[in-house]
Amino acid sequence: MQEPGAWAVPLTDSICTDATLTGGKAASLAVLHDEGLPVPPAYVLPVAVFNNHLPDADPAARPERPELAPELQTTLSRIAAELCESADQQLVVRSSALGEDGESASFAGQNATYYYVSADTLEKAVVDCWLSLWSEPALAYRSGLATNAPFGMAVIVQRMIQSERSGVCFSTDPTGERREHALLESSWGLGAALVDGRVSPDRFWITADGQISQRKISRKRLKVAEDLRDPSGQRLEPVPLRQQTQPSLSDIEVGQIADLTRQIAERRATAQDVEWAIDGDELFILQSRPITTATELEKDSPVEGRWVLFKPTAENFQEPMTPMTVDLFRRILPPMGRFIHGRYYVNADLMASLLPWSLSDEALADLVLMRGSPAEQPLSWRRVLGLAGSFAVGYLAAGVSWHRTARVPLESLAAFELICRAALVDDDLDALDTLRQLVLNDHPFRPIGEYPIQCNLSSIRYFLLIEVLGKLLERIAPDYDRVNLSLVLSGGDAMLSQQMVEGIRELARIAAKDEALSSQMLADEADLQTVTLQLGEYHPFTSALEAFMARFGHRAVKEIELMAPRWREDNNSVLNLVRSFLSRSEDDDQRIEPRGRLLAAEDELHQALPHRWQRRLVDHLIERIRFYVTLRENTRHYHTMAMAAVRLKLKAMEQRLIQAGRLKCEDDIFYLEFPEAKALEAGLTDWQDVEGVIHGRRLRYQRQSLERPPETFNIQARIPMLMPDDNLLVGDCASPGVAMGTARVILDPSVSADLATGDVLVAPYTDPAWTPLFPGAAAIIVEVGSYLSHAGTVAREYGIPCLVDVHGCTEKIRSGQLLKINASEGWVEIVE
Amino acid sequence: MISALVFIIAMPLTVYTLAGCLQVIDQVDASGRFNALLSLSFRLLLFALLALATPPGSRLWILFGALTSLFLSFTLSFAARYVVRSGRWPTERIE
């Protein structure tokens, strides 16, 4: 056994800058220190110490745990005493492997970092750190890269920063979407949560001149504790509700961190990923390494075949679905599509074979993306004959349901709630059984209202009826301005999403009557649980809230995603919406009068039809369209109950697994596939078997969440029209009209819902949880949507102009800008 | 020729009438059930008219059409549900 030259050297020692002696990470930290950057004090155990304890170690075979040399034990005690100024001070032990943090290989997350290390546990942490070189992810990573770097590891023992805020700053956006921008991610507590991908961080994109070009404040529900006295305790702790939606950094701090990161990148002449932390007002740089490509576990797999994004899902949320959601859904969907990188795509070749037109690739992609009508394309009669046969078979298989749903009483859908409750209390049903039972277990001799998904699928025919009505009016009333038709076709008061809005409005009205309550809510100082606890159960607001939650508590933002917490579990979204109504005056509320506009539009239509039979025919079509529009919205209210029930089953399973020690953190279950979770529950596998898988999938999910989903794979879609004027954006009309107002960009209503009456809502997408923001908006602009999307349907209800498929609107438009919208003609202009 | 024609007409008419029957159990109140029965009687009337318009020698084909339609309707809808419910052909996914 060779004696190392020194058992430990301070980071300030020049030897530390030699990566062949102290590994890539320590060398990088030492250089940062030399450059005068604020690096926490640390000592490095050079690679020679590793070689001393693990001589002739085989990179492919994990060795026995070594005993520490007495000299090293003494050195470690001395280091702990020096770095820990007080009894509360803790240490962090980091790997610094040879080749780590190099330009070709970052080894990010492959070797271990140990937080909360005390003087007593330091020796163990050092040995664990060495042995992490043989962990499965590290071995897989090394073999995948086929790196020729020598094998060995130095260890950094550093003072642990009690970070109140921490994160990562990339000198250039690593997703490649905005290469010229720096991307800063930040959250509360320790940065380990960010590295693990367990927390959705706030994100800031910063231009080269230090301006924040875009910010996305996320809901930060969890943080890594700054202090951990009980090592067996949960590392993650909940963030106080009030803090969850607050930005974790001020604009000045964002500028400072981005500036430091750019300086480091310029000195290294390569793009850097800088880990930072703030303790009090003091900023620390924890490490800097070149941005490298994702590991094997996180890489996207290549895609074969021709696929087009399934628009109805993308219209509700653009983030990928978690592996658990994908795995459960793929077991109940007909094999007509494919989940690619967490999003659902339809098979373009299959669609082409089902259509009666011979379409070009571009026209086909446009049709599936609901952007174009194929009506101008020539019919292929051979296909028409083939399709007639398919239609006949389809009619025999589904015709009965199709006809039944035409007269389904809307109130009969409520029976589904009882079916969901029965499934929830049935312990024999696991999450997959529950999903199958609630979605697929229809019986022909039971009322069809008990199967809202069937009703929902059938209700899509309103789109065909709208086409028929349009063609009919073109013939019998050519002078009628069909722009107003959308208003006439709105669903009316029976729509549950409208009743949801009324429920929120009622909560706001009750809160407004109690001055103390309304000022508390408006001051952003309350969470709903605290408010109701203070008020007591007999206060009208508490009772109204309970009634609202009993009816709408199963709803959520991104409600198709099983990981998304429901309003009942996490009522901050409801609080934001109530607050949004509270901030508007009663006068503003009264200005919203869609009913009067609807009657006027109906009257205008009748006057355009001279004959009684024409009016009767048109009225019949309108009545049918209104019925199906309402049916579509209301069935969604009910079938999302199924999603809420499946989520509850999964959460119960997760609790059992956490109690058994087979899962460590809340929401980890959503990064497993269902059979993997079942195997864990059955004891066939353990935490060690799934830890790496969860980690890799979580990181991939985080990265994919940052990327805009490709609309197609291996088939070319129409490139959205680019306007010569940067201030002009174009989109498709979902609800006609003209408006002018101040832009309010809202990315997530559970984080922020500050929308004043007369503002223009600019959103990436919408789902029913966004509905309460609609009344009072002057117009709605949505990045992804279609005529059939939720945004369009509800905007028509309220008679609000709505533009959908406005590419890049949430990036190009900034809150506070004045916008002029002509939804009828499909454009929006940024006036100032 | 006429037999084939009535056979073909009877098939969708059966689906339409069966849906009419089941619409009665879909209703939640008396007035809804009354309307559903009214609608059902209209569909049955269509069947009666078809039978009246069909020469006596071909009337049996209405029955064949109805039975074939019922058989295919139940078989196809159960088969479609089986394909999905069995989970044997799950939708593929690419991570």
Side-chain angles (χ1 to χ4, degrees):
Chain A
M1 193 184 284
Q2 253 188 343
E3 284 289 313
W7 292 102
V9 281
L11 196 67
T12 48
D13 196 311
S14 59
I15 191 182
C16 288
T17 55
D18 186 345
T20 60
L21 301 176
T22 58
K25 191 181 285 173
S28 166
L29 274 179
V31 171
L32 289 172
H33 183 272
D34 281 358
E35 289 168 350
L37 291 161
V39 177
Y43 274 85
V44 181
L45 315 186
V47 178
V49 179
F50 170 88
N51 292 333
N52 174 271
H53 284 79
L54 293 159
D56 309 320
D58 178 358
R62 188 185 167 93
E64 290 290 311
R65 197 177 176 85
E67 287 291 323
L68 289 191
E71 297 92 328
L72 181 59
Q73 289 178 7
T74 314
T75 308
L76 289 176
S77 302
R78 184 176 52 76
I79 290 172
E82 192 181 322
L83 293 178
C84 297
E85 288 169 338
S86 66
D88 288 344
Q89 180 63 57
Q90 291 171 312
L91 301 168
V92 56
V93 173
R94 292 164 175 266
S95 66
S96 179
L98 293 174
E100 188 172 352
D101 285 3
E103 281 183 34
S104 58
S106 73
F107 282 79
Q110 305 308 318
N111 299 322
T113 298
Y114 298 91
Y115 297 95
Y116 312 107
V117 176
S118 64
D120 299 338
T121 55
L122 180 57
E123 290 176 17
K124 180 179 179 298
V126 168
V127 178
D128 286 346
C129 204
W130 284 336
L131 294 178
S132 72
L133 262 181
W134 286 273
S135 70
E136 277 184 35
L139 285 170
Y141 188 82
R142 263 200 313 275
S143 63
L145 287 173
T147 174
N148 296 323
F151 184 72
M153 181 192 273
V155 172
I156 305 163
V157 181
Q158 195 169 30
R159 182 181 294 164
M160 186 167 147
I161 302 302
Q162 308 292 310
S163 33
E164 291 157 11
R165 295 164 292 160
S166 58
V168 179
C169 187
F170 301 90
S171 61
T172 174
D173 183 347
T175 64
E177 298 242 331
R178 278 167 276 187
R179 282 263 168 222
E180 70 284 9
H181 289 63
L183 169 62
L184 171 52
E185 297 185 340
S186 142
S187 190
W188 304 112
L190 276 180
L194 289 182
V195 179
D196 274 3
R198 279 204 165 91
V199 173
S200 294
D202 293 338
R203 291 196 170 98
F204 304 87
W205 283 265
I206 306 111
T207 59
D209 58 359
Q211 299 297 311
I212 299 173
S213 66
Q214 201 194 358
R215 72 188 70 215
K216 186 175 179 190
I217 306 303
S218 298
R219 187 84 188 276
K220 301 168 286 292
R221 291 168 55 229
L222 299 168
K223 68 171 180 176
V224 178
E226 294 144 27
D227 192 9
L228 191 75
R229 292 287 107 193
D230 173 15
S232 63
Q234 278 260 17
R235 272 196 339 165
L236 287 178
E237 60 181 38
V239 174
L241 203 65
R242 209 185 134 208
Q243 252 190 337
Q244 287 182 12
T245 54
Q246 282 179 352
S248 46
L249 287 177
S250 69
D251 287 4
I252 294 172
E253 288 168 331
V254 170
Q256 283 172 347
I257 296 167
D259 189 41
L260 273 183
T261 304
R262 282 221 166 91
Q263 283 178 30
I264 295 170
E266 277 167 22
R267 282 179 198 150
R268 308 282 183 285
T270 174
Q272 294 284 305
D273 130 18
V274 172
E275 213 176 295
W276 57 270
I278 293 179
D279 179 11
D281 292 329
E282 209 173 343
L283 172 68
F284 290 96
I285 301 296
L286 303 182
Q287 69 175 34
S288 172
R289 61 185 172 209
I291 299 173
T292 52
T293 50
T295 68
E296 283 303 320
L297 267 176
E298 302 151 31
K299 270 183 191 162
D300 289 338
S301 308
V303 178
E304 289 172 2
R306 306 195 313 154
W307 306 95
V308 183
L309 186 65
F310 185 59
K311 197 80 175 288
T313 314
E315 285 167 356
N316 292 313
F317 65 103
Q318 281 187 296
E319 287 87 349
M321 287 181 236
T322 53
M324 177 61 81
T325 305
V326 167
D327 191 56
L328 287 177
F329 282 173
R330 77 192 193 90
R331 291 164 196 279
I332 60 158
L333 284 172
M336 293 173 72
R338 186 172 281 192
F339 285 97
I340 302 174
H341 308 159
R343 280 102 175 184
Y344 188 65
Y345 287 76
V346 292
N347 187 334
D349 293 318
L350 181 69
M351 289 301 292
S353 67
L354 290 175
L355 293 168
W357 302 278
S358 294
L359 299 177
S360 65
D361 280 2
E362 206 171 74
L364 175 66
D366 273 358
L367 182 66
V368 181
L369 290 167
M370 299 180 191
R371 281 200 196 125
S373 162
E376 294 82 27
Q377 308 281 338
L379 277 172
S380 158
W381 290 106
R382 193 171 52 85
R383 285 184 171 206
V384 170
L385 283 176
L387 275 177
S390 308
F391 175 79
V393 174
Y395 183 76
L396 287 172
V400 173
S401 303
W402 179 268
H403 288 302
R404 284 175 81 179
T405 49
R407 298 280 168 202
V408 59
L410 293 174
E411 55 272 32
S412 70
L413 297 169
F416 189 66
E417 191 171 344
L418 297 176
I419 296 172
C420 285
R421 282 190 191 162
L424 259 181
V425 296
D426 187 343
D427 291 334
D428 291 338
L429 297 179
D430 61 26
L432 181 58
D433 296 333
T434 306
L435 188 64
R436 284 196 172 132
Q437 172 110 337
L438 296 178
V439 174
L440 300 174
N441 201 25
D442 54 336
H443 192 284
F445 298 115
R446 299 285 312 160
I448 192 122
E450 293 179 4
Y451 309 107
I453 289 184
Q454 276 208 8
C455 298
N456 186 277
L457 292 174
S458 299
S459 64
I460 202 81
R461 72 186 94 169
Y462 81 84
F463 194 57
L464 293 174
L465 292 175
I466 288 173
E467 285 285 312
V468 171
L469 181 62
K471 296 277 178 208
L472 183 69
L473 288 176
E474 213 173 275
R475 278 175 176 263
I476 61 177
D479 297 332
Y480 175 68
D481 183 3
R482 279 182 290 137
V483 162
N484 294 327
L485 198 57
S486 297
L487 203 57
V488 179
L489 298 178
S490 53
D493 299 336
M495 258 200 194
L496 286 170
S497 49
Q498 280 212 20
Q499 291 173 19
M500 182 167 77
V501 176
E502 279 312 307
I504 299 267
R505 202 197 298 260
E506 184 58 23
L507 283 171
R509 277 196 200 114
I510 296 170
K513 285 179 191 161
D514 186 329
E515 206 171 305
L517 172 62
S518 58
S519 52
Q520 190 186 12
M521 289 176 88
L522 282 172
D524 198 12
E525 283 173 356
D527 62 76
L528 267 186
Q529 259 161 343
T530 316
V531 167
T532 47
L533 274 176
Q534 283 169 356
L535 294 173
E537 58 184 312
Y538 299 113
H539 192 282
F541 184 84
T542 314
S543 332
L545 181 66
E546 268 173 28
F548 180 84
M549 285 299 182
R551 204 159 174 219
F552 299 106
H554 64 284
R555 310 227 60 164
V557 177
K558 304 173 203 165
E559 54 200 0
I560 301 170
E561 169 53 58
L562 297 172
M563 192 169 72
R566 310 290 129 170
W567 282 355
R568 198 179 286 120
E569 302 166 58
D570 172 14
N571 50 35
N572 206 43
S573 305
V574 176
L575 174 66
N576 274 338
L577 296 169
V578 173
R579 195 180 284 144
S580 165
F581 273 100
L582 261 180
S583 59
R584 302 174 200 171
S585 73
E586 196 65 23
D587 288 348
D588 286 343
D589 244 11
Q590 283 164 1
R591 271 173 30 201
I592 306 156
E593 190 32 283
R595 196 79 203 154
R597 291 174 62 186
L598 171 68
L599 291 173
E602 267 181 355
D603 201 36
E604 189 192 347
L605 176 60
H606 279 173
Q607 282 174 6
L609 301 168
H611 301 292
R612 193 166 165 228
W613 68 267
Q614 291 175 341
R615 288 197 290 274
R616 291 192 68 171
L617 181 61
V618 167
D619 282 351
H620 175 72
L621 277 172
I622 289 173
E623 182 272 322
R624 287 286 78 199
I625 292 167
R626 282 178 180 168
F627 172 77
Y628 290 124
V629 168
T630 310
L631 185 63
R632 186 153 188 261
E633 276 293 301
N634 289 11
T635 46
R636 187 164 171 171
H637 171 89
Y638 288 104
H639 72 65
T640 49
M641 279 179 188
M643 306 304 140
V646 175
R647 175 178 158 81
L648 284 175
K649 290 272 180 180
L650 284 172
K651 291 300 278 182
M653 188 183 195
E654 182 185 68
Q655 277 308 310
R656 291 195 295 273
L657 290 172
I658 288 176
Q659 277 167 11
R662 293 183 196 140
L663 278 182
K664 298 289 180 197
C665 267
E666 209 185 318
D667 286 351
D668 273 358
I669 197 169
F670 296 102
Y671 297 95
L672 290 174
E673 292 183 348
F674 191 67
E676 291 168 345
K678 290 290 278 185
L680 264 185
E681 195 173 38
L684 301 174
T685 52
D686 212 335
W687 169 245
Q688 286 79 11
D689 302 310
V690 296
E691 184 182 11
V693 174
I694 291 174
H695 176 77
R697 286 185 188 153
R698 207 187 300 108
L699 290 183
R700 177 165 43 211
Y701 177 82
Q702 289 281 338
R703 182 177 48 73
Q704 288 174 341
S705 300
L706 276 174
E707 296 164 357
R708 199 188 295 271
E711 289 189 328
T712 58
F713 282 100
N714 306 323
I715 177 170
Q716 185 67 51
R718 174 171 56 104
I719 297 166
M721 192 174 22
L722 295 173
M723 300 306 290
D725 184 351
D726 276 350
N727 290 331
L728 205 60
L729 301 167
V730 290
D732 294 333
C733 174
S735 175
V738 177
M740 199 159 180
T742 308
R744 192 64 57 196
V745 182
I746 294 181
L747 301 176
D748 183 346
S750 67
V751 174
S752 164
D754 296 331
L755 189 85
T757 306
D759 281 351
V760 176
L761 171 63
V762 183
Y765 48 76
T766 65
D767 71 3
W770 291 71
T771 310
L773 292 174
F774 283 36
I780 293 153
I781 299 170
V782 186
E783 191 144 352
V784 182
S786 66
Y787 189 86
L788 296 178
S789 67
H790 180 79
T793 307
V794 180
R796 290 192 294 276
E797 286 304 307
Y798 286 100
I800 302 167
C802 177
L803 267 182
V804 292
D805 261 2
V806 186
H807 288 260
C809 63
T810 53
E811 287 167 26
K812 287 176 185 156
I813 299 173
R814 298 198 186 159
S815 288
Q817 287 181 319
L818 185 65
L819 303 180
K820 189 174 173 185
I821 299 106
N822 190 328
S824 311
E825 292 178 9
W827 55 263
V828 54
E829 184 187 353
I830 305 169
V831 180
E832 57 181 42
Chain B
M1 180 66 190
I2 288 178
S3 302
L5 193 65
V6 292
F7 179 82
I8 289 170
I9 293 173
M11 283 180 45
L13 197 54
T14 306
V15 170
Y16 188 48
T17 310
L18 176 63
C21 292
L22 296 172
Q23 270 176 358
V24 180
I25 60 169
D26 291 340
Q27 303 307 311
V28 289
D29 56 18
S31 102
R33 272 189 287 276
F34 177 76
N35 286 333
L37 283 170
L38 211 61
S39 167
L40 175 62
S41 47
F42 169 73
R43 294 167 201 212
L44 289 170
L45 187 68
L46 288 178
F47 250 121
L49 287 175
L50 179 66
L52 281 175
T54 307
S58 301
R59 276 184 194 153
L60 209 52
W61 286 96
I62 300 177
L63 184 64
F64 292 157
L67 290 175
T68 310
S69 176
L70 283 175
F71 174 76
L72 286 177
S73 182
F74 280 108
T75 310
L76 287 173
S77 75
F78 278 115
R81 265 173 291 181
Y82 174 76
V83 166
V84 179
R85 203 180 306 157
S86 68
R88 290 191 187 182
W89 297 275
T91 301
E92 286 182 41
R93 48 133 178 40
I94 299 172
E95 285 194 295

